Amino acid sequence: AIYDGRLFYRGHDAAELSRTATFEDVARILWDAGEEDPFADLKPRVDVSFPGGPRARTFACLARRAEEDAPAAGRSPRSLRREAASILNELVDTVAGQGPRLHLHQRLARGWKITERDAHLVRRALVLAADHELNGAILATRVAAGAGASLAACALAGLATLSGPELGGRLFQVSAYVIEARRDAREAARHHLAQEGAIPGFGNPLYP
């Protein structure tokens, strides 16, 4: 829900959650898991090494799971939650490499050579990006889910849509802005505000 400029996950303020919650905590909230922990006792999969960059490896991982996994239609919520957790578990290993079964954000931080002190920034970003407005990627995911496709196939539909210039292009804009801001944050902000009236990644009209 989006209300009065703030984003909520099932009644929880997303910005407040990002202060302390893990991505797994938020997944359980969004999945109505209650006291159940779908991430408990997940084991690493040995064959999660795919060629290419992070996005290519993510596509390959989801495509394999889409071929392996059963359709989602008619299955119990508990079974689907467990499968969703296992997909996330494999995706993190695919992107960041295998290692200790830490929280997802810690595993990503290790894979990306981010210090333990700064790993909380990855955690916050994951929490804040867990759910948001109905963009094309979300709608594509929901269409696949409505047709009863496997969870991995649904995620693959969303990822394919996200790779388009309308959505994926925004990610490149933000990345470019971060590089500019590292050189001179004030000048980078002034430039974008003067040229475009906004700073990439900031000032969402629904939850500024």
Side-chain angles (χ1 to χ4, degrees), residues 1-8 13 15 204-208:
I2 298 169
Y3 176 74
D4 196 24
R6 296 159 68 194
L7 175 65
F8 294 87
D13 186 306
N204 186 298
L206 297 176
Y207 38 94

Side-chain angles (χ1 to χ4, degrees), residues 89-206:
N89 186 50
E90 284 186 30
L91 281 174
V92 169
D93 279 347
T94 297
V95 171
Q98 292 185 337
R101 298 295 93 180
L102 305 170
H103 288 298
L104 297 182
H105 74 273
Q106 293 172 313
R107 289 158 58 187
L108 287 170
R110 282 191 172 202
W112 293 334
K113 305 293 190 294
I114 296 172
T115 65
E116 190 172 340
R117 182 192 64 189
D118 292 334
H120 73 98
L121 298 173
V122 178
R123 179 188 57 74
R124 287 188 175 206
L126 288 172
V127 168
L128 292 172
D131 197 10
H132 47 88
E133 76 273 9
L134 290 175
N135 63 37
I138 302 299
L139 291 173
T141 303
R142 290 190 171 201
V143 168
S150 70
L151 297 183
C154 298
L156 189 59
L159 183 64
T161 307
L162 187 65
S163 69
E166 173 59 27
L167 295 173
R170 296 180 198 170
L171 300 178
F172 288 112
Q173 289 171 3
V174 172
S175 295
Y177 174 70
V178 168
I179 294 171
E180 290 179 52
R182 281 176 173 165
R183 291 194 293 263
D184 188 331
R186 290 180 183 275
E187 181 54 35
R190 274 196 289 264
H191 170 76
H192 281 276
L193 288 171
Q195 296 292 320
E196 303 154 20
I199 298 174
F202 292 85
N204 186 298
L206 297 176

